[in-house]
């Protein structure tokens, strides 16, 4: 497919605000996980919580959008020159020629939980009687108003692959000629539905997540937000690029991947084909790697079947926790850091690797100049997406 330039990108997670905070934490192997202190009756688990959201309400002009999820959307938008880059794109193309495609799994449901918990004679309390905050499209509606983007505005909600699939959706919009640029991203914040919902499925660990460790017993949940600005680029243009995407659906089970990883393999193969490269060209693979027994085993087997042992593959969930609908954008930012800085994260918290996994999985970080990086995001119901990023021709 024609490459798309990445004009700006950023992530805000439990590791800190903006790209440099992510890079420094990855480099120093400093985890952002801490014991769960979210809610009035916290589960016995570990979480990746973004500091400061409670103390930073939205600017007054956005008061109608006030909620924890939109606070994080706003906070993440203020990092790494994103606002200036968006305004430049709007000036180049016109507001109606820039799309907004965002991923989330729960959007502002935390505010809805609070509204039901505080029902006043059967009605939402006055401060939460704002219908637009209680819709799945609350995130898209808020960011559209905050940025001035007036092109197509879409929310993708395919569980954990949501903000990986936004890259594919944006590429289709641009390549079809419907728009000239797109702001993509994803935001998901902690809430009761997420914590207790995943716990009811038996997927939450009482310890920090240990991806691919033989003793792994579940995930650590996290919250995060991030964005990337995509635009057409010339054949000889320098800079980071989206080079390919692959999407598939297992349609196998509500919460378990296909036991032979068929959907995962198809997503990775399609991404490589669309990028026009071979598996051996990929220098770094950010695995979905949730630290649940089934997901890690299936993904590791799929990777071992496609890549040679020289690939550096790891999971960054031990740094940030599983940020659900924001995982795709956060881990795409990590893949872009790998390309830009030559920093290849390994896997944090794990003491050993499951012998059933292939030689591609790494615990330690590495440093190397690479030409291509891949990111895997696999969601409930087998909503899979793999992305390939690369560098411009002259880099």
């Amino acid at each position: 497919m024609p490459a798309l330039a990445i004009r700006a990108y950023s992530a805000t997670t439990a590791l800190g605000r903006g790209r440099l905070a992510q890079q420094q934490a990855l480099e120093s192997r400093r985890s952002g996980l801490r014991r769960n202190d979210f809610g009035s009756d916290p589960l016995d688990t570990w979480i990746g919580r973004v500091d400061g959201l409670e103390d930073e309400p939205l600017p007054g002009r956005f008061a109608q959008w006030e909620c924890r999820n939109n606070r994080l959307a706003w906070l993440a938008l203020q990092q790494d020159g994103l606002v200036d880059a968006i305004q430049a794109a709007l000036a180049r193309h016109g507001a109606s020629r820039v799309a907004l495609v965002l991923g989330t799994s729960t959007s502002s449901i935390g505010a809805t939980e609070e509204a039901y918990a505080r029902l006043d004679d059967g009605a939402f309390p006055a401060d939460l009687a704002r219908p637009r905050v209680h819709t799945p499209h609350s995130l898209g509606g808020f960011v559209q108003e905050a940025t001035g983007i007036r092109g197509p505005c879409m929310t993708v909600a395919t569980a954990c692959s949501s903000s990986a699939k936004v890259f594919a959706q944006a590429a289709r919009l641009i390549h079809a000629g419907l728009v000239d640029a797109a702001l993509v991203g994803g935001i998901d914040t902690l809430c009761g539905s997420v914590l207790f919902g995943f716990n009811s499925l038996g997927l939450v660990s009482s310890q920090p997540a240990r991806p691919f460790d033989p003793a792994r017993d579940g995930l650590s949940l996290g919250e995060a937000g991030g964005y990337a600005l995509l635009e057409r680029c010339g054949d000889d243009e320098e800079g980071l690029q989206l080079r390919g995407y692959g999407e598939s659906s297992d349609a196998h089970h509500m919460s378990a991947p296909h036991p032979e990883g068929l959907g995962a393999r198809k997503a990775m193969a399609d991404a490589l084909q669309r990028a026009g490269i071979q598996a051996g060209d990929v220098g770094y693979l950010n695995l979905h790697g949730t630290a649940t027994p089934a997901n890690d085993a299936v993904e590791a087997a799929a990777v071992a079947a496609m890549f040679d042992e020289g690939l550096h593959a790891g999971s960054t969930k031990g740094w940030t926790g599983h940020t659900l609908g924001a995982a795709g954008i956060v881990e795409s930012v990590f893949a872009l850091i790998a390309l830009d800085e030559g920093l290849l994260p390994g896997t944090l918290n794990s003491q050993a690797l499951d012998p059933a996994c292939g030689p591609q999985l790494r615990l330690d970080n590495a440093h190397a100049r690479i030409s291509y990086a891949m990111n895997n995001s696999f969601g409930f119901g087998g909503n899979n997406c793999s992305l390939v990023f690369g560098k411009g021709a002259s880099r």
Side-chain angles (χ1 to χ4, degrees):
M1 75 174 206
L4 292 174
I6 298 173
R7 302 294 187 205
Y9 68 102
S10 181
T12 291
T13 72
L15 302 176
R17 303 177 181 189
R19 203 165 62 230
L20 182 59
Q22 312 308 309
Q23 180 183 332
Q24 290 176 338
L26 292 172
E27 181 76 74
S28 64
R29 298 179 67 81
R30 174 181 63 80
S31 175
L33 298 181
R34 64 190 191 192
R35 281 208 171 275
N36 183 20
D37 58 356
F38 188 86
S40 58
D41 187 18
L43 285 170
D44 179 20
T45 184
W46 290 64
I47 59 171
R49 183 171 183 172
V50 176
D51 287 324
L53 285 181
E54 288 70 23
D55 303 322
E56 298 187 40
L58 292 176
R61 64 185 185 279
F62 302 127
Q64 62 181 330
W65 295 105
E66 179 62 56
C67 67
R68 183 181 176 83
N69 209 62
N70 288 340
R71 284 187 184 192
L72 182 50
W74 175 255
L75 183 64
L77 194 60
Q78 308 311 307
Q79 314 302 321
D80 295 316
L82 280 167
V83 171
D84 289 343
I86 294 165
Q87 291 305 310
L90 295 175
R92 276 194 298 276
H93 305 298
S96 64
R97 296 289 299 174
V98 180
L100 177 61
V101 191
L102 299 177
T104 187
S105 66
T106 58
S107 195
S108 305
I109 197 171
T112 310
E113 292 172 0
E114 182 183 351
Y116 275 103
R118 293 169 45 208
L119 283 176
D120 182 5
D121 195 23
F124 282 5
D127 61 317
L128 287 169
R130 293 176 278 119
R132 62 176 57 186
V133 169
H134 303 294
T135 73
H137 193 54
S138 168
L139 170 64
F142 166 65
V143 177
Q144 183 184 42
E145 184 168 324
T147 58
I149 291 172
R150 294 294 176 263
C153 176
M154 288 173 274
T155 298
V156 177
T158 54
C160 311
S161 62
S162 300
S163 63
K165 292 171 76 73
V166 298
F167 284 88
Q169 185 82 319
R172 286 190 285 269
L173 287 169
I174 293 172
H175 291 150
L178 297 175
V179 295
D180 300 307
L183 178 66
V184 303
I187 291 88
D188 245 338
T189 39
L190 293 164
C191 60
S193 299
V194 163
L195 286 161
F196 290 96
F198 274 78
N199 188 57
S200 71
L201 293 170
L203 299 177
V204 175
S205 174
S206 61
Q207 304 181 49
R210 296 167 289 173
F212 301 102
D213 190 292
R216 66 187 183 278
D217 62 353
L219 50 78
S220 301
L221 291 162
E223 60 187 3
Y227 300 95
L229 181 63
L230 307 180
E231 195 172 33
R232 290 192 184 86
C233 62
D235 293 339
D236 299 325
E237 187 173 323
E238 297 182 16
L240 298 169
Q241 298 174 348
L242 173 67
R243 301 297 289 268
Y245 61 85
E247 299 173 284
S248 66
S249 176
D250 286 4
H252 170 73
H253 186 275
M254 280 293 290
S255 62
H258 189 284
E260 298 174 6
L262 294 181
R265 293 211 306 267
K266 180 168 176 52
M268 289 189 285
D270 283 357
L272 293 171
Q273 182 180 38
R274 200 165 267 115
I277 63 172
Q278 303 299 312
D281 297 323
V282 177
Y284 169 65
L285 171 55
N286 190 301
L287 298 158
H288 189 54
T290 59
T292 59
N295 176 86
D296 285 6
V298 168
E299 185 176 20
V303 169
M306 292 185 61
F307 294 89
D308 62 37
E309 62 183 40
L311 173 69
H312 182 107
S315 165
T316 49
K317 298 289 196 292
W319 272 275
T320 62
H322 188 358
T323 60
L324 303 176
I329 183 66
V330 166
E331 292 165 27
S332 292
V333 167
F334 293 168
L336 292 169
I337 288 173
L339 278 168
D340 221 11
E341 306 295 337
L343 168 60
L344 315 184
T347 305
L348 197 60
N349 299 332
S350 303
Q351 300 301 308
L353 289 172
D354 189 334
C357 299
Q360 300 82 6
L361 299 174
R362 309 292 168 83
L363 293 180
D364 295 332
N365 292 357
H367 294 84
R369 289 294 168 187
I370 59 173
S371 298
Y372 298 96
M374 176 180 274
N375 178 28
N376 281 346
S377 291
F378 304 144
F380 274 1
N383 284 292
N384 308 301
C385 184
S386 296
L387 302 171
V388 173
F389 300 98
K391 302 173 184 175
S394 59
R395 284 179 62 103

